[in-house]
Amino acid sequence: MGEIGVFIPIIALMIPIVAIWTKHQQKLAEMHLHSTAENSAEKAAQYASRVQQLEDRVQVLERIVTDRGYDVATQIEALRDSRRVEDADSGVPMDFGRKERA
């Protein structure tokens, strides 16, 4: 019976320790939940932004195909031709990396 008497003060001291530990665990769980919610909100905003960018690009592509027909290849060639003219006017040789052989 004397052995049980030793456990009574130990149990009495452990009750507040367990209560403090439980409260601490609860705060940690709330902090983790808050952090997870913030990260989820940020990721959702980034995802929405990326989706909007892709939708804008698709709209541009649709406009190119429907408004101007299928002359995209000729427009690309026209851009290439204008670059060749600009390069020729700039005085920079286009084959600056090649050496001429005699």
Side-chain angles (χ1 to χ4, degrees):
M1 188 94 173
E3 295 175 2
I4 295 176
V6 172
F7 289 116
I8 292 175
I10 293 174
I11 292 173
L13 292 173
M14 286 183 61
I15 290 174
I17 292 172
V18 170
I20 292 170
W21 180 79
T22 304
K23 210 173 226 187
H24 177 70
Q25 291 299 319
Q26 182 181 4
K27 285 182 183 179
L28 287 177
E30 289 174 0
M31 288 172 44
H32 180 68
L33 181 65
H34 182 68
S35 174
T36 303
E38 285 180 357
N39 288 341
S40 296
E42 288 176 9
K43 287 182 182 180
Q46 290 173 352
Y47 178 75
S49 172
R50 182 70 177 146
V51 168
Q52 184 62 44
Q53 289 174 348
L54 292 174
E55 287 176 353
D56 292 343
R57 292 179 79 177
V58 168
Q59 287 177 353
V60 168
L61 292 173
E62 287 174 346
R63 194 171 42 231
I64 288 172
V65 170
T66 57
D67 293 349
R68 299 182 190 150
Y70 291 99
D71 62 341
V72 175
T74 56
Q75 291 175 1
I76 292 172
E77 287 302 320
L79 287 172
R80 286 184 183 153
D81 290 341
S82 68
R83 284 186 185 163
R84 287 185 192 132
V85 170
E86 288 174 7
D87 287 342
D89 291 342
S90 68
V92 177
M94 292 184 67
D95 58 346
F96 60 88
R98 299 183 201 158
K99 289 186 177 182
E100 292 185 23
R101 295 185 181 196

XYZ file of all heavy atoms in Angstrom:
807
model
N 0.811 -1.179 0.000
C 0.000 0.000 0.000
C 0.865 1.258 0.000
O 0.452 2.278 -0.514
C -0.895 -0.033 1.235
C -1.899 1.038 1.251
S -3.383 0.410 0.552
C -4.431 1.724 0.864
N 2.059 1.163 0.503
C 2.979 2.288 0.532
C 3.458 2.672 -0.857
O 3.800 3.816 -1.119
N 3.476 1.692 -1.738
C 3.910 1.979 -3.112
C 2.895 2.862 -3.832
O 3.257 3.707 -4.640
C 4.102 0.672 -3.877
C 5.212 -0.177 -3.323
C 5.292 -1.527 -4.019
O 4.518 -1.772 -4.943
O 6.135 -2.317 -3.610
N 1.639 2.677 -3.569
C 0.594 3.475 -4.212
C 0.672 4.918 -3.720
O 0.454 5.854 -4.488
C -0.800 2.871 -3.928
C -0.905 1.502 -4.573
C -1.888 3.796 -4.445
C -2.196 0.794 -4.283
N 1.034 5.117 -2.484
C 1.145 6.460 -1.912
C 2.212 7.296 -2.608
O 2.124 8.519 -2.664
N 3.243 6.659 -3.163
C 4.308 7.374 -3.871
C 3.788 7.868 -5.223
O 4.176 8.935 -5.696
C 5.526 6.439 -4.063
C 6.574 7.074 -4.949
C 6.108 6.047 -2.719
N 2.900 7.117 -5.835
C 2.394 7.487 -7.161
C 1.402 8.643 -7.121
O 1.224 9.338 -8.119
C 1.748 6.277 -7.843
C 2.747 5.248 -8.278
C 2.744 3.977 -7.711
C 3.687 5.534 -9.243
C 3.645 3.015 -8.112
C 4.603 4.585 -9.646
C 4.589 3.312 -9.082
N 0.755 8.884 -6.009
C -0.246 9.954 -5.918
C 0.382 11.330 -6.180
O -0.123 12.088 -7.012
C -1.002 9.892 -4.577
C -1.871 8.631 -4.550
C -1.845 11.150 -4.369
C -2.564 8.393 -3.239
N 1.498 11.716 -5.540
C 2.091 13.027 -5.862
C 2.653 13.085 -7.285
O 2.596 14.127 -7.938
C 3.210 13.207 -4.852
C 3.125 12.088 -3.903
C 2.138 11.093 -4.410
N 3.167 11.976 -7.772
C 3.691 11.940 -9.143
C 2.558 12.187 -10.133
O 2.684 12.978 -11.060
C 4.412 10.603 -9.414
C 5.679 10.507 -8.564
C 4.741 10.470 -10.895
C 6.392 9.181 -8.639
N 1.425 11.544 -9.923
C 0.260 11.736 -10.802
C -0.248 13.173 -10.679
O -0.589 13.803 -11.680
C -0.837 10.705 -10.479
C -0.366 9.308 -10.869
C -2.126 11.058 -11.187
C -1.283 8.192 -10.440
N -0.258 13.702 -9.483
C -0.716 15.072 -9.272
C 0.174 16.076 -9.997
O -0.296 17.087 -10.510
C -0.772 15.385 -7.785
N 1.463 15.817 -10.065
C 2.384 16.703 -10.780
C 2.310 16.502 -12.304
O 2.586 17.421 -13.065
C 3.818 16.485 -10.296
C 4.108 16.937 -8.867
C 5.516 16.511 -8.452
C 3.956 18.445 -8.756
N 1.949 15.328 -12.733
C 1.898 15.051 -14.171
C 0.670 15.664 -14.843
O 0.704 15.967 -16.035
C 1.925 13.538 -14.413
C 3.290 12.936 -14.181
S 3.355 11.184 -14.550
C 2.947 11.144 -16.264
N -0.408 15.867 -14.104
C -1.639 16.409 -14.695
C -1.396 17.782 -15.323
O -1.744 18.007 -16.485
C -2.785 16.427 -13.658
C -3.217 14.993 -13.369
C -3.964 17.267 -14.157
C -4.227 14.868 -12.260
N -0.772 18.768 -14.633
C -0.534 20.058 -15.300
C 0.461 19.953 -16.453
O 0.333 20.659 -17.460
C -0.001 20.966 -14.202
C 0.157 20.149 -12.994
C -0.413 18.808 -13.235
N 1.422 19.062 -16.318
C 2.401 18.882 -17.402
C 1.699 18.366 -18.653
O 1.939 18.856 -19.771
C 3.537 17.936 -16.951
C 4.374 18.605 -15.862
C 4.404 17.535 -18.127
C 5.393 17.703 -15.215
N 0.828 17.396 -18.490
C 0.072 16.862 -19.629
C -0.836 17.950 -20.226
O -0.971 18.063 -21.449
C -0.723 15.603 -19.224
C -1.695 15.188 -20.301
C 0.219 14.464 -18.881
N -1.437 18.768 -19.369
C -2.314 19.841 -19.846
C -1.522 20.860 -20.667
O -1.958 21.295 -21.735
C -3.010 20.514 -18.669
N -0.348 21.245 -20.183
C 0.509 22.190 -20.913
C 0.947 21.586 -22.245
O 0.923 22.241 -23.285
C 1.723 22.590 -20.048
C 1.261 23.429 -18.863
C 2.755 23.349 -20.877
C 2.343 23.673 -17.830
N 1.365 20.331 -22.227
C 1.813 19.659 -23.452
C 0.669 19.577 -24.463
O 0.863 19.809 -25.662
C 2.338 18.260 -23.106
C 2.820 17.508 -24.297
C 4.016 17.642 -24.936
C 2.105 16.498 -25.009
N 4.084 16.776 -25.996
C 2.923 16.054 -26.065
C 0.851 15.910 -24.844
C 2.535 15.072 -26.949
C 0.468 14.927 -25.740
C 1.298 14.522 -26.777
N -0.545 19.266 -24.007
C -1.706 19.169 -24.896
C -2.014 20.525 -25.528
O -2.289 20.619 -26.727
C -2.926 18.659 -24.119
O -2.602 17.416 -23.509
C -4.128 18.483 -25.017
N -1.946 21.589 -24.727
C -2.196 22.930 -25.244
C -1.144 23.299 -26.295
O -1.451 23.907 -27.327
C -2.172 23.931 -24.097
C -3.037 25.119 -24.305
C -3.084 25.952 -23.046
C -4.533 26.303 -22.791
N -4.695 27.222 -21.700
N 0.097 22.938 -26.028
C 1.188 23.203 -26.973
C 0.954 22.448 -28.293
O 1.140 23.015 -29.373
C 2.526 22.807 -26.350
C 3.680 22.968 -27.267
N 4.146 24.204 -27.660
C 4.466 22.052 -27.886
C 5.170 24.037 -28.485
N 5.390 22.739 -28.628
N 0.559 21.211 -28.192
C 0.285 20.424 -29.400
C -0.868 21.035 -30.194
O -0.850 21.052 -31.416
C -0.019 18.964 -29.029
C 1.175 18.201 -28.498
C 2.293 18.111 -29.522
O 2.064 17.901 -30.700
N 3.520 18.293 -29.054
N -1.862 21.547 -29.511
C -2.997 22.183 -30.173
C -2.544 23.439 -30.927
O -2.937 23.674 -32.067
C -4.070 22.532 -29.155
C -5.313 23.147 -29.773
C -6.353 23.500 -28.727
O -6.124 23.356 -27.534
N -7.499 23.969 -29.190
N -1.682 24.257 -30.299
C -1.166 25.452 -30.952
C -0.340 25.090 -32.181
O -0.430 25.743 -33.222
C -0.334 26.280 -29.981
C -1.150 27.042 -28.980
C -0.269 27.881 -28.086
C -1.086 28.594 -27.035
N -0.236 29.406 -26.148
N 0.483 24.044 -32.064
C 1.275 23.600 -33.214
C 0.378 23.154 -34.363
O 0.637 23.482 -35.524
C 2.211 22.446 -32.802
C 3.412 22.810 -31.952
C 4.187 21.537 -31.574
C 4.322 23.766 -32.692
N -0.685 22.442 -34.042
C -1.622 21.991 -35.081
C -2.310 23.173 -35.746
O -2.482 23.202 -36.974
C -2.652 21.040 -34.477
N -2.706 24.188 -34.958
C -3.332 25.383 -35.527
C -2.369 26.148 -36.423
O -2.745 26.628 -37.491
C -3.844 26.290 -34.409
C -5.057 25.752 -33.688
C -5.439 26.599 -32.489
O -4.771 27.625 -32.206
O -6.429 26.233 -31.813
N -1.100 26.257 -35.996
C -0.093 26.939 -36.815
C 0.133 26.195 -38.119
O 0.257 26.813 -39.180
C 1.215 27.076 -36.026
C 1.145 28.094 -34.915
S 2.593 28.140 -33.811
C 3.956 28.051 -34.907
N 0.184 24.885 -38.052
C 0.376 24.078 -39.257
C -0.813 24.241 -40.203
O -0.643 24.382 -41.408
C 0.572 22.611 -38.875
C 0.776 21.714 -40.041
N 1.906 21.769 -40.818
C -0.021 20.765 -40.580
C 1.809 20.871 -41.791
N 0.637 20.257 -41.674
N -2.016 24.252 -39.641
C -3.224 24.426 -40.442
C -3.230 25.795 -41.107
O -3.544 25.925 -42.295
C -4.465 24.257 -39.563
C -5.812 24.377 -40.259
C -5.978 23.239 -41.259
C -6.927 24.357 -39.239
N -2.862 26.832 -40.368
C -2.810 28.192 -40.912
C -1.774 28.286 -42.031
O -2.025 28.872 -43.085
C -2.491 29.181 -39.786
C -2.450 30.603 -40.224
N -3.571 31.278 -40.637
C -1.414 31.477 -40.330
C -3.231 32.506 -40.982
N -1.931 32.655 -40.790
N -0.607 27.701 -41.807
C 0.450 27.715 -42.823
C 0.011 26.977 -44.080
O 0.246 27.436 -45.202
C 1.713 27.067 -42.251
O 2.687 26.936 -43.239
N -0.634 25.846 -43.910
C -1.120 25.073 -45.051
C -2.175 25.855 -45.826
O -2.175 25.862 -47.061
C -1.697 23.731 -44.572
O -0.690 23.028 -43.849
C -2.155 22.876 -45.732
N -3.044 26.545 -45.120
C -4.086 27.348 -45.777
C -3.464 28.485 -46.583
O -3.890 28.762 -47.706
C -5.057 27.896 -44.740
N -2.444 29.153 -46.026
C -1.764 30.233 -46.749
C -1.087 29.700 -48.006
O -1.181 30.301 -49.072
C -0.742 30.915 -45.856
C -1.332 31.834 -44.822
C -0.263 32.492 -43.963
O 0.928 32.185 -44.138
O -0.632 33.318 -43.115
N -0.391 28.567 -47.873
C 0.284 27.982 -49.035
C -0.721 27.584 -50.101
O -0.482 27.778 -51.295
C 1.119 26.772 -48.609
C 2.347 27.159 -47.828
O 2.795 28.291 -47.882
N 2.902 26.213 -47.100
N -1.839 27.032 -49.692
C -2.873 26.631 -50.648
C -3.438 27.850 -51.372
O -3.668 27.809 -52.578
C -3.995 25.873 -49.947
O -3.508 24.670 -49.405
N -3.654 28.931 -50.636
C -4.182 30.150 -51.250
C -3.192 30.727 -52.253
O -3.575 31.160 -53.345
C -4.508 31.179 -50.176
N -1.904 30.726 -51.898
C -0.884 31.228 -52.817
C -0.812 30.374 -54.075
O -0.730 30.894 -55.189
C 0.481 31.256 -52.127
C 0.624 32.330 -51.077
C 1.949 32.259 -50.341
O 2.831 31.486 -50.761
O 2.101 32.995 -49.353
N -0.839 29.064 -53.897
C -0.790 28.170 -55.053
C -2.022 28.327 -55.929
O -1.929 28.293 -57.153
C -0.637 26.726 -54.598
C 0.742 26.410 -54.078
C 0.880 24.969 -53.670
C 2.270 24.722 -53.111
N 2.457 23.343 -52.688
N -3.170 28.533 -55.306
C -4.396 28.735 -56.082
C -4.311 30.030 -56.891
O -4.725 30.071 -58.051
C -5.604 28.759 -55.153
N -3.746 31.075 -56.292
C -3.593 32.341 -57.010
C -2.620 32.193 -58.173
O -2.862 32.703 -59.273
C -3.114 33.431 -56.057
N -1.518 31.476 -57.957
C -0.559 31.243 -59.033
C -1.192 30.416 -60.136
O -0.991 30.691 -61.322
C 0.679 30.526 -58.492
C 1.543 31.380 -57.606
C 2.672 30.589 -56.954
O 2.725 29.360 -57.047
N 3.569 31.290 -56.301
N -1.954 29.417 -59.772
C -2.621 28.567 -60.751
C -3.625 29.381 -61.565
O -3.674 29.275 -62.787
C -3.323 27.410 -60.044
C -4.085 26.499 -60.955
C -3.428 25.593 -61.767
C -5.473 26.553 -61.007
C -4.131 24.761 -62.625
C -6.186 25.722 -61.844
C -5.506 24.830 -62.649
O -6.218 24.019 -63.492
N -4.389 30.233 -60.890
C -5.374 31.064 -61.585
C -4.688 32.022 -62.538
O -5.156 32.241 -63.664
C -6.230 31.822 -60.580
N -3.563 32.581 -62.116
C -2.802 33.482 -62.979
C -2.290 32.753 -64.209
O -2.376 33.255 -65.332
C -1.632 34.074 -62.195
O -0.787 34.801 -63.039
N -1.760 31.565 -64.007
C -1.227 30.770 -65.134
C -2.349 30.383 -66.087
O -2.180 30.434 -67.304
C -0.523 29.524 -64.598
C 0.090 28.668 -65.649
C 1.283 29.336 -66.272
N 1.871 28.419 -67.234
C 2.438 28.798 -68.343
N 2.543 30.077 -68.624
N 2.927 27.932 -69.173
N -3.493 30.006 -65.550
C -4.640 29.650 -66.388
C -5.075 30.860 -67.210
O -5.355 30.739 -68.411
C -5.802 29.107 -65.529
C -7.091 29.019 -66.324
C -5.450 27.737 -64.966
N -5.091 32.034 -66.595
C -5.479 33.250 -67.316
C -4.499 33.545 -68.443
O -4.897 33.913 -69.549
C -5.569 34.441 -66.351
C -6.045 35.716 -67.001
C -7.444 35.584 -67.571
O -8.328 35.027 -66.938
N -7.645 36.081 -68.777
N -3.196 33.369 -68.178
C -2.192 33.586 -69.218
C -2.411 32.633 -70.388
O -2.340 33.038 -71.550
C -0.782 33.385 -68.654
C -0.331 34.471 -67.717
C 1.016 34.141 -67.088
O 1.514 33.017 -67.176
N 1.607 35.134 -66.440
N -2.670 31.380 -70.084
C -2.888 30.401 -71.145
C -4.161 30.707 -71.930
O -4.187 30.571 -73.164
C -2.945 28.988 -70.554
C -1.617 28.469 -69.993
C -1.832 27.135 -69.308
C -0.577 28.335 -71.088
N -5.204 31.140 -71.236
C -6.436 31.510 -71.934
C -6.195 32.690 -72.858
O -6.696 32.711 -73.985
C -7.539 31.833 -70.931
C -8.110 30.625 -70.238
C -9.139 30.976 -69.173
O -9.317 32.182 -68.873
O -9.768 30.038 -68.655
N -5.409 33.659 -72.405
C -5.095 34.811 -73.252
C -4.325 34.380 -74.497
O -4.600 34.860 -75.604
C -4.283 35.848 -72.475
C -5.080 36.516 -71.363
O -6.327 36.425 -71.392
O -4.443 37.106 -70.466
N -3.384 33.474 -74.320
C -2.604 32.992 -75.466
C -3.481 32.235 -76.452
O -3.342 32.389 -77.667
C -1.453 32.104 -74.982
C -0.409 32.883 -74.215
C 0.695 32.013 -73.734
N 1.598 31.759 -74.847
C 2.715 31.060 -74.740
N 3.044 30.543 -73.580
N 3.483 30.873 -75.771
N -4.386 31.426 -75.942
C -5.294 30.686 -76.819
C -6.173 31.658 -77.593
O -6.416 31.478 -78.791
C -6.136 29.676 -76.012
C -7.276 29.124 -76.838
C -5.259 28.547 -75.506
N -6.649 32.713 -76.932
C -7.464 33.706 -77.626
C -6.693 34.380 -78.749
O -7.231 34.600 -79.832
C -7.978 34.756 -76.638
C -9.065 34.258 -75.723
C -9.488 35.309 -74.707
O -8.883 36.371 -74.600
N -10.532 34.999 -73.950
N -5.427 34.691 -78.513
C -4.601 35.293 -79.563
C -4.445 34.329 -80.729
O -4.589 34.718 -81.898
C -3.225 35.710 -79.005
C -2.260 36.069 -80.108
C -3.382 36.864 -78.029
N -4.166 33.073 -80.412
C -4.019 32.081 -81.489
C -5.320 31.908 -82.266
O -5.304 31.808 -83.503
C -3.562 30.744 -80.909
C -2.142 30.720 -80.347
C -1.877 29.395 -79.655
C -1.131 30.973 -81.437
N -6.438 31.887 -81.565
C -7.721 31.772 -82.252
C -7.961 32.978 -83.153
O -8.438 32.837 -84.276
C -8.866 31.655 -81.236
C -8.928 30.325 -80.539
C -9.979 30.286 -79.433
O -10.475 31.374 -79.030
O -10.292 29.180 -78.976
N -7.606 34.160 -82.674
C -7.791 35.363 -83.475
C -6.911 35.332 -84.719
O -7.330 35.721 -85.801
C -7.483 36.590 -82.615
C -7.961 37.883 -83.209
C -7.841 39.051 -82.250
N -6.585 39.032 -81.503
C -6.514 39.137 -80.176
N -7.596 39.251 -79.461
N -5.348 39.117 -79.572
N -5.671 34.837 -84.570
C -4.775 34.744 -85.727
C -5.366 33.810 -86.769
O -5.396 34.118 -87.960
C -3.371 34.262 -85.286
C -2.662 35.367 -84.517
C -2.550 33.828 -86.486
C -1.361 34.920 -83.876
N -5.849 32.671 -86.317
C -6.362 31.673 -87.260
C -7.667 32.125 -87.893
O -7.870 31.980 -89.090
C -6.542 30.311 -86.546
C -7.289 29.333 -87.421
C -5.190 29.749 -86.157
N -8.563 32.711 -87.117
C -9.879 33.044 -87.661
C -9.908 34.385 -88.370
O -10.557 34.522 -89.403
C -10.947 33.048 -86.545
O -10.558 33.973 -85.539
C -11.111 31.670 -85.956
N -9.227 35.399 -87.856
C -9.302 36.734 -88.456
C -8.424 36.882 -89.683
O -8.807 37.503 -90.654
C -8.914 37.811 -87.436
C -9.926 37.928 -86.315
O -11.011 37.336 -86.441
O -9.620 38.601 -85.321
N -7.267 36.316 -89.673
C -6.313 36.535 -90.753
C -6.186 35.329 -91.674
O -5.346 35.326 -92.548
C -4.945 36.869 -90.167
C -4.977 38.133 -89.342
C -3.615 38.454 -88.834
N -3.712 39.536 -87.837
C -2.896 39.687 -86.838
N -1.902 38.859 -86.668
N -3.047 40.684 -85.996
N -6.961 34.328 -91.448
C -6.857 33.150 -92.289
C -5.628 32.337 -91.941
O -5.069 32.437 -90.860
N -5.184 31.558 -92.902
C -4.049 30.669 -92.654
C -2.775 31.196 -93.304
O -1.930 30.425 -93.729
C -4.363 29.267 -93.181
C -5.424 28.576 -92.370
C -6.743 28.544 -92.789
C -5.108 27.979 -91.164
C -7.720 27.918 -92.041
C -6.077 27.361 -90.404
C -7.382 27.333 -90.847
O -8.338 26.719 -90.100
N -2.606 32.497 -93.388
C -1.401 33.060 -94.010
C -0.306 33.332 -92.978
O 0.496 34.228 -93.143
C -1.752 34.327 -94.776
C -2.313 35.413 -93.879
O -2.754 35.079 -92.763
O -2.291 36.575 -94.300
N -0.277 32.560 -91.922
C 0.730 32.728 -90.871
C 2.127 32.490 -91.440
O 3.072 33.215 -91.121
C 0.448 31.776 -89.680
C 1.543 31.862 -88.638
C -0.899 32.088 -89.066
N 2.264 31.498 -92.294
C 3.579 31.194 -92.881
C 4.092 32.383 -93.688
O 5.280 32.725 -93.615
C 3.492 29.951 -93.749
N 3.224 33.033 -94.444
C 3.676 34.195 -95.218
C 4.044 35.355 -94.301
O 4.979 36.104 -94.587
C 2.583 34.639 -96.213
O 1.383 34.891 -95.506
C 2.347 33.592 -97.274
N 3.349 35.498 -93.179
C 3.698 36.547 -92.233
C 5.062 36.271 -91.597
O 5.862 37.187 -91.404
C 2.633 36.662 -91.151
C 1.314 37.193 -91.652
C 0.239 37.195 -90.577
O 0.505 36.815 -89.438
N -0.950 37.619 -90.949
N 5.336 35.019 -91.298
C 6.637 34.655 -90.726
C 7.746 34.942 -91.737
O 8.789 35.494 -91.396
C 6.649 33.180 -90.278
C 5.717 32.997 -89.077
C 8.062 32.718 -89.935
C 5.497 31.560 -88.670
N 7.519 34.582 -92.976
C 8.513 34.850 -94.016
C 8.719 36.346 -94.200
O 9.842 36.800 -94.410
C 8.094 34.200 -95.336
C 8.236 32.690 -95.332
C 9.661 32.227 -95.034
O 10.624 32.839 -95.523
O 9.802 31.241 -94.283
N 7.653 37.129 -94.106
C 7.778 38.581 -94.219
C 8.630 39.128 -93.080
O 9.457 40.026 -93.279
C 6.399 39.231 -94.225
N 8.445 38.591 -91.882
C 9.280 39.012 -90.747
C 10.739 38.636 -90.983
O 11.645 39.414 -90.690
C 8.777 38.379 -89.449
C 7.482 38.952 -88.888
C 7.015 38.099 -87.714
C 7.666 40.387 -88.466
N 10.967 37.448 -91.511
C 12.344 37.032 -91.803
C 12.973 37.947 -92.851
O 14.132 38.331 -92.738
C 12.367 35.582 -92.282
C 12.146 34.593 -91.184
C 12.265 33.181 -91.686
N 11.983 32.250 -90.607
C 11.508 31.040 -90.771
N 11.252 30.593 -92.001
N 11.288 30.257 -89.748
N 12.198 38.291 -93.869
C 12.716 39.183 -94.906
C 13.045 40.548 -94.323
O 14.068 41.148 -94.655
C 11.698 39.322 -96.048
C 11.574 38.028 -96.860
O 12.491 37.188 -96.787
O 10.543 37.870 -97.547
N 12.195 41.056 -93.438
C 12.467 42.371 -92.846
C 13.703 42.312 -91.959
O 14.459 43.271 -91.882
C 11.264 42.872 -92.061
O 11.047 42.077 -90.915
N 13.954 41.201 -91.317
C 15.170 41.063 -90.506
C 16.408 41.036 -91.396
O 17.428 41.597 -91.045
C 15.115 39.783 -89.663
C 14.209 39.895 -88.479
C 14.298 38.680 -87.622
N 13.336 38.734 -86.531
C 12.975 37.700 -85.822
N 13.496 36.519 -86.059
N 12.101 37.843 -84.862
N 16.308 40.378 -92.532
C 17.456 40.338 -93.455
C 17.788 41.740 -93.939
O 18.951 42.109 -94.029
C 17.142 39.424 -94.628
C 17.156 37.967 -94.263
C 16.953 37.089 -95.487
N 16.680 35.733 -95.048
C 15.700 34.984 -95.483
N 14.885 35.434 -96.424
N 15.519 33.768 -95.020
N 16.765 42.522 -94.233
C 16.992 43.896 -94.687
C 17.610 44.718 -93.566
O 18.550 45.471 -93.790
C 15.662 44.526 -95.181
C 15.824 46.007 -95.430
C 15.170 43.811 -96.430
N 17.110 44.561 -92.346
C 17.665 45.295 -91.209
C 19.116 44.906 -90.971
O 19.953 45.756 -90.688
C 16.842 45.027 -89.954
C 15.483 45.675 -89.959
C 14.631 45.257 -88.763
O 15.173 44.558 -87.881
O 13.452 45.607 -88.724
N 19.444 43.616 -91.074
C 20.819 43.161 -90.876
C 21.732 43.710 -91.960
O 22.869 44.089 -91.701
C 20.888 41.633 -90.846
C 20.312 41.046 -89.564
O 20.185 41.806 -88.581
O 19.987 39.842 -89.548
N 21.236 43.755 -93.194
C 22.048 44.275 -94.287
C 22.289 45.763 -94.104
O 23.367 46.267 -94.408
C 21.353 44.004 -95.620
N 21.327 46.493 -93.593
C 21.468 47.927 -93.380
C 22.359 48.254 -92.196
O 22.921 49.330 -92.121
C 20.095 48.575 -93.161
C 19.256 48.567 -94.424
O 19.842 48.389 -95.510
O 18.017 48.722 -94.313
N 22.509 47.343 -91.259
C 23.271 47.633 -90.048
C 24.771 47.573 -90.270
O 25.537 48.031 -89.447
C 22.886 46.667 -88.926
O 23.326 45.363 -89.247
N 25.218 46.998 -91.365
C 26.639 46.916 -91.645
C 27.311 45.735 -90.976
O 28.514 45.562 -91.072
N 26.583 44.905 -90.310
C 27.142 43.725 -89.662
C 26.996 42.561 -90.626
O 25.894 42.265 -91.087
C 26.396 43.411 -88.346
C 26.927 42.139 -87.714
C 26.498 44.581 -87.400
N 28.103 41.902 -90.980
C 27.984 40.768 -91.909
C 27.213 39.630 -91.254
O 27.371 39.368 -90.065
C 29.429 40.372 -92.195
C 30.216 40.929 -91.064
C 29.473 42.137 -90.579
N 26.366 38.978 -92.026
C 25.546 37.907 -91.479
C 26.359 36.649 -91.221
O 26.001 35.840 -90.405
C 24.376 37.608 -92.409
C 23.384 38.763 -92.444
S 21.958 38.410 -93.406
C 21.194 37.144 -92.430
N 27.467 36.457 -91.922
C 28.283 35.252 -91.732
C 29.563 35.611 -91.002
O 30.644 35.240 -91.415
C 28.560 34.579 -93.067
C 29.272 35.496 -94.041
O 29.312 36.717 -93.779
O 29.781 34.995 -95.038
N 29.451 36.338 -89.897
C 30.620 36.817 -89.169
C 31.457 35.698 -88.566
O 32.596 35.897 -88.234
C 30.208 37.815 -88.083
C 29.279 37.257 -87.057
C 29.759 36.621 -85.935
C 27.909 37.378 -87.217
C 28.906 36.110 -84.997
C 27.048 36.876 -86.277
C 27.528 36.220 -85.163
N 30.915 34.506 -88.450
C 31.675 33.404 -87.858
C 32.441 32.575 -88.887
O 33.303 31.794 -88.541
N 32.187 32.780 -90.161
C 32.824 31.971 -91.204
C 34.021 32.708 -91.791
O 34.022 33.922 -91.914
C 31.838 31.688 -92.321
C 30.625 30.930 -91.882
C 29.776 30.653 -93.086
N 28.416 30.382 -92.634
C 27.360 30.503 -93.389
N 27.463 30.887 -94.627
N 26.167 30.235 -92.925
N 35.031 31.947 -92.199
C 36.179 32.520 -92.899
C 36.109 32.102 -94.359
O 35.765 30.954 -94.669
C 37.498 32.020 -92.294
C 37.778 32.588 -90.923
C 39.143 32.177 -90.480
C 39.487 32.793 -89.151
N 40.830 32.443 -88.732
N 36.471 33.028 -95.242
C 36.456 32.689 -96.667
C 37.745 31.959 -97.010
O 38.819 32.256 -96.536
C 36.362 33.978 -97.496
C 35.036 34.666 -97.342
C 34.931 35.857 -98.266
O 35.653 35.876 -99.282
O 34.126 36.748 -97.973
N 37.618 30.939 -97.833
C 38.783 30.168 -98.260
C 39.147 30.544 -99.693
O 38.264 30.735 -100.520
C 38.496 28.689 -98.182
C 38.270 28.240 -96.761
C 38.107 26.769 -96.717
N 37.853 26.346 -95.344
C 37.948 25.152 -94.905
N 38.274 24.183 -95.730
N 37.690 24.858 -93.661
N 40.407 30.657 -99.956
C 40.853 31.042 -101.302
C 41.029 29.844 -102.187
O 41.151 28.754 -101.859
C 42.151 31.822 -101.215
